[in-house]
Amino acid sequence: MRSAAFPEPVPRRGLSRVYAALAALCLATLGIGTVQTLGPVETPTAQAAETELIEVEVDSFEPALPARDGELTISGTLTNTSDSAIANVRPYLWRNQGPLTNRASLDPVLEGNLPSEGRVFVDGAFENVTDDRGPMQPGEELPFSVTAKIEDLDLPRASGVYPVGVDVLGQVDNGAVSVPGQTRLLLPLPAEGATEPEPSKITSVVMFNAEPTMYAPGQFINDDLASEVSRGGRLATLLETARTEGISWAIDPSLYDELTAMAQGYQVRDEQGNLTEGSGSAVAVRWLADFDALNDSVGFRLPYAGVDAEAAIVNEQPELIDRAAELGATSDLGGLPVLEWFDDGMIDLNTLEATTGLDPTVVLTSNADSAHRLLQSPADTEAPLVRYDPLAYAGGPEGTSDAHRRQRLLAESYIDARSQPSGGGTVRVITTAEQARADVAAEAPWVERLSLTELLGTDPNEWSETFSGSTSEPLTPEQLELMADIEERSDSYIGAQSDPEASAQSITHALARASSTTWRGRAEAQAEFLAPVQARIEDFFSGDDLSLEATSRVTMDDQQGLFPVTISSRLDEPVNVAVIFTSSNDARLSIPDTEVVRVPPGESVTVDARPKAATNGTVPVVAHLVTPDRTEIGPGVEIEVQATRLGAVGWVIVAVSGVVLVVSTLLRIRQVRRHGKAPAETATDADPVPTETTSAPSGAAR
């Protein structure tokens, strides 16, 4: 709109630098009233704003592709980010009259290097947002909207991309007119009647991945995932974009597992460690239903939990990659082809060779040295590489709004279509809602969608098998050591569970999620994710949830005795444990270990201890609760075992033996005498008289 208090500005081409400087001096001398009489002065537009005192946020740039006989409107919000009041705030529609026709001219502009020539205001395309009110105060926000006919932009007739935007004029603390704020966007504009160029083939891949939050089946560290799949959330927006014809997608099986658990009902851990019911079951069900309806022919599977392959290589832990490969292959999405992609897309030959176990169909990279998109498989690998543009959604040249991103995508695809013989093409990776919105909005007559599956069906290009740049810092040795400690400690824990296979899977999945690139540079967040797993194992072995009770003193009346020991559980699941005894003197007294017993959740089980004593006296014994592999649980229980009647029993045995000996001797003597009184002539060879050499010892069986 035009302010009644300000006449239309004089075109910049009608002012020399001298007149502009004099006008600025007059403004500073005469004050605001004179400014309103003279109208806006353009001098500051010849330079970029030295200090951004007003932030210009573009909410609307419409239409995205205006015709030569149409018009353009840029709307948004101005925010005074300074500590000063700014008067006479007027946003102007700005344009550069030099067309960008190839990458050599476009790339410097995307980096913020706009050419100084041809930068002018558009006559009458301004708004005085502080009209009929006082200056714009610090922190204040005001809406703006500027409109101009395309013919009034006075652009050349040549096809190309033209920088356009908004310059904001104002007076800071009633000083001279300056440019306290500005923003730039890109406008592709074909010549009148120009023929359409060869289509630019765009391959967009939506990535369904998220920071891991499920540390145990149905138990989540937070409820962030529910927000992501809710309407308007990141994953919900990505899913909507993946429905677009010609757009490919790839999903992390770990994310699919988490959403499946959410859909079945789940719990969320609060800061105090308490579990409460999650709120996202319904939205997870809906998201999964919509996901299952996607076109599988353009779908892929990502490495499980985005394993940090570089960390595995650097720290010589290939088992991290092997675990991710196994979990992905055995997941519900195991039938999908594997798209190997790691976070920032940075990769090298060592990583390619080390990750062949993932069995990728294609490797997506952002740093392969090549001008081509599809590259031949490197030596010792089988999967071809696809190079994508990591800056496709960076926006610019000044701003990252949805409009900035969309206009950049349109500008790049237009220049590629015009300047490359076959129309060129670009591969894009979509990971955020902002990128998804920009990608779908950047449809144009010169854009042709080519799915990743279709791209893989074309002939790959040779390349030098070299890469540029380096990846971000991988997981640290300390982060990997934390996982290794938990894994080592978990072996005994798993063996004590009533369902060791399920317990092993739970911890394996948690450790796989902990090895994700998500945790790069975020050791504290990774430790927080693993804290419940670590606490569960440590609590189990601390004895807080499993305890052993026994009398502190036991008296034995015999060589072998028996006394009870009670195992009590406060766990939520059954466990298998045993009790072992350590005697201070095994030669005097020992107690065999008990058999492994099953202890139900929240209940107690009593087992019998069976001591064996060799002599009288008291022997200290320590009873320990242990896992089936004999790892101790909690502190031991001290017991004094006293054998008091072993000597008396021995004397009884001796006395009885003596009586038996005396009786046997008397009976023998009597027998001999009876035989001695018989007539001599009655003795025969068939019935010889016993002699000393053939008699059985006393007490022997006859």
Side-chain angles (χ1 to χ4, degrees):
M1 60 176 284
R2 296 178 179 175
S3 170
F6 284 80
E8 294 184 1
V10 179
R12 185 188 181 333
R13 287 169 294 172
L15 287 177
S16 68
R17 292 184 179 274
V18 174
Y19 284 126
L22 290 174
L25 179 61
C26 290
L27 288 171
T29 304
L30 297 176
I32 298 176
T34 306
V35 173
Q36 292 177 334
T37 302
L38 293 177
V41 177
E42 312 161 50
T43 304
T45 64
Q47 306 164 354
E50 294 183 3
T51 304
E52 291 292 341
L53 304 180
I54 292 181
E55 179 183 347
V56 183
E57 182 178 349
V58 177
D59 299 328
S60 174
F61 183 99
E62 297 299 334
L65 299 172
R68 287 269 178 173
D69 59 354
E71 62 179 22
L72 174 67
T73 298
I74 303 178
S75 303
T77 304
L78 306 179
T79 303
N80 184 352
T81 58
S82 73
D83 296 328
S84 304
I86 305 177
N88 293 313
V89 178
R90 290 160 292 164
Y92 284 81
L93 199 154
W94 171 99
R95 87 287 201 194
N96 187 290
Q97 293 175 305
L100 310 174
T101 57
N102 52 41
R103 276 286 178 177
S105 59
L106 175 63
D107 289 345
V109 172
L110 292 176
E111 295 172 0
N113 300 317
L114 286 164
S116 59
E117 66 276 3
R119 300 171 61 184
V120 297
F121 283 156
V122 179
D123 294 350
F126 74 97
E127 178 186 11
N128 188 341
V129 298
T130 56
D131 190 22
D132 299 328
R133 51 153 292 160
M136 190 177 185
Q137 299 302 313
E140 187 174 4
E141 297 182 359
L142 293 174
F144 77 90
S145 181
V146 292
T147 301
K149 292 182 179 180
I150 299 300
E151 62 181 8
D152 290 341
L153 298 182
D154 197 20
L155 298 173
R157 295 181 179 180
S159 297
V161 172
Y162 294 88
V164 299
V166 172
D167 271 16
V168 182
L169 270 64
Q171 293 174 280
V172 181
D173 290 332
N174 291 327
V177 174
S178 61
V179 183
Q182 65 184 28
T183 190
R184 304 286 182 258
L185 300 93
L186 299 172
L187 174 63
L189 190 65
E192 188 70 35
T195 58
E196 293 294 343
E198 185 75 17
S200 178
K201 297 177 176 58
I202 303 299
T203 300
S204 299
V205 185
V206 173
M207 297 296 185
F208 295 118
N209 62 346
E211 179 177 304
T213 53
M214 187 171 74
Y215 62 86
Q219 296 181 356
F220 290 69
I221 198 70
N222 57 51
D223 213 6
D224 292 351
L225 191 53
S227 300
E228 295 229 54
V229 296
S230 297
R231 196 175 305 279
R234 182 182 68 93
L235 288 173
T237 303
L238 292 178
L239 184 58
E240 186 67 27
T241 302
R243 295 174 178 173
T244 304
E245 185 70 25
I247 289 184
S248 300
W249 53 267
I251 186 170
D252 179 356
S254 173
L255 172 63
Y256 189 85
D257 289 348
E258 292 195 14
L259 289 169
T260 301
M262 285 183 64
Q264 297 170 353
Y266 66 106
Q267 296 176 308
V268 178
R269 182 185 178 93
D270 62 20
E271 294 181 357
Q272 289 72 41
N274 301 315
L275 293 173
T276 58
E277 292 301 315
S279 61
S281 293
V283 292
V285 169
R286 183 173 65 245
W287 194 95
L288 288 172
D290 292 341
F291 172 79
D292 289 340
L294 291 179
N295 181 7
D296 284 349
S297 67
V298 294
F300 294 83
R301 167 168 58 88
L302 294 169
Y304 195 92
V307 58
D308 194 332
E310 185 180 0
I313 297 168
V314 171
N315 294 277
E316 298 182 352
Q317 294 188 24
E319 63 272 13
L320 299 181
I321 299 173
D322 295 340
R323 178 166 55 198
E326 180 180 356
L327 292 179
T330 57
S331 70
D332 291 340
L333 303 177
L336 290 173
V338 176
L339 188 159
E340 183 176 319
W341 174 75
F342 301 109
D343 192 35
D344 54 8
M346 305 289 278
I347 203 169
D348 56 29
L349 288 175
N350 288 337
T351 304
L352 289 176
E353 294 174 5
T355 54
T356 54
L358 294 173
D359 194 23
T361 297
V362 58
V363 177
L364 211 54
T365 173
S366 63
N367 66 325
D369 286 330
S370 176
H372 302 287
R373 293 169 296 167
L374 183 62
L375 309 175
Q376 287 183 345
S377 307
D380 300 325
T381 66
E382 296 182 0
L385 271 66
V386 169
R387 184 183 57 81
Y388 71 94
D389 180 5
L391 299 178
Y393 303 102
E398 295 173 358
T400 57
S401 69
D402 285 357
H404 283 89
R405 289 190 175 94
R406 180 192 64 190
Q407 295 306 123
R408 172 173 179 157
L409 294 177
L410 288 169
E412 290 186 313
S413 63
Y414 184 60
I415 283 184
D416 287 346
R418 284 182 48 81
S419 62
Q420 297 189 29
S422 62
T426 303
V427 178
R428 307 169 182 165
V429 171
I430 303 173
T431 61
T432 69
E434 293 80 10
Q435 294 171 354
R437 289 193 296 266
D439 194 275
V440 174
E443 295 288 356
W446 55 82
V447 169
E448 178 183 333
R449 296 283 185 184
L450 185 72
S451 72
L452 182 58
T453 305
E454 293 171 325
L455 177 61
L456 293 175
T458 62
D459 293 331
N461 296 274
E462 295 183 359
W463 65 298
S464 61
E465 296 190 9
T466 58
F467 297 88
S468 60
S470 59
T471 63
S472 58
E473 289 297 321
L475 297 179
T476 65
E478 290 75 18
Q479 287 178 285
L480 296 180
E481 185 178 354
L482 172 62
M483 292 187 290
D485 289 344
I486 292 175
E487 185 170 17
E488 181 179 1
R489 190 69 164 157
S490 69
D491 290 341
S492 296
Y493 170 81
I494 291 170
Q497 306 306 304
S498 60
D499 189 349
E501 183 176 350
S503 182
Q505 287 183 356
S506 173
I507 293 177
T508 298
H509 282 75
L511 292 174
R513 295 184 175 106
S515 63
S516 170
T517 55
T518 298
W519 311 115
R520 285 182 173 181
R522 304 174 61 221
E524 186 174 343
Q526 183 210 35
E528 182 179 347
F529 171 75
L530 284 173
V533 181
Q534 190 175 25
R536 177 174 296 180
I537 296 173
E538 294 304 322
D539 289 347
F540 178 82
F541 286 107
S542 70
D544 292 340
D545 295 326
L546 279 172
S547 60
L548 191 63
E549 298 176 5
T551 182
S552 61
R553 189 175 182 84
V554 175
T555 301
M556 296 177 58
D557 292 334
D558 203 345
Q559 188 177 12
Q560 295 185 0
L562 182 148
F563 63 91
V565 178
T566 301
I567 306 167
S568 298
S569 171
R570 288 173 290 281
L571 296 170
D572 296 329
E573 59 277 335
V575 291
N576 299 315
V577 293
V579 181
I580 64 173
F581 302 89
T582 303
S583 172
S584 63
N585 192 329
D586 288 332
R588 295 177 59 191
L589 182 137
S590 63
I591 305 179
D593 300 343
T594 71
E595 296 291 332
V596 174
V597 296
R598 183 177 184 274
V599 183
E603 296 186 17
S604 298
V605 171
T606 299
V607 296
D608 290 333
R610 302 178 180 277
K612 297 179 180 179
T615 63
N616 279 336
T618 300
V619 179
V621 175
V622 178
H624 269 111
L625 192 62
V626 296
T627 62
D629 69 354
R630 296 305 189 260
T631 301
E632 295 182 358
I633 302 171
V637 175
E638 295 184 358
I639 306 170
E640 288 189 350
V641 181
Q642 183 179 28
T644 60
R645 299 183 62 189
L646 288 180
V649 171
W651 284 113
V652 169
I653 294 173
V654 172
V656 171
S657 299
V659 171
V660 171
L661 178 61
V662 171
V663 172
S664 299
T665 302
L666 292 174
L667 290 175
R668 180 64 174 169
I669 293 172
R670 184 178 178 183
Q671 184 181 25
V672 170
R673 287 177 176 176
R674 182 182 305 116
H675 283 288
K677 293 179 180 180
E681 60 272 21
T682 59
T684 65
D685 292 339
D687 188 17
V689 176
T691 65
E692 187 173 339
T693 57
T694 60
S695 62
S698 173
R702 299 182 63 88

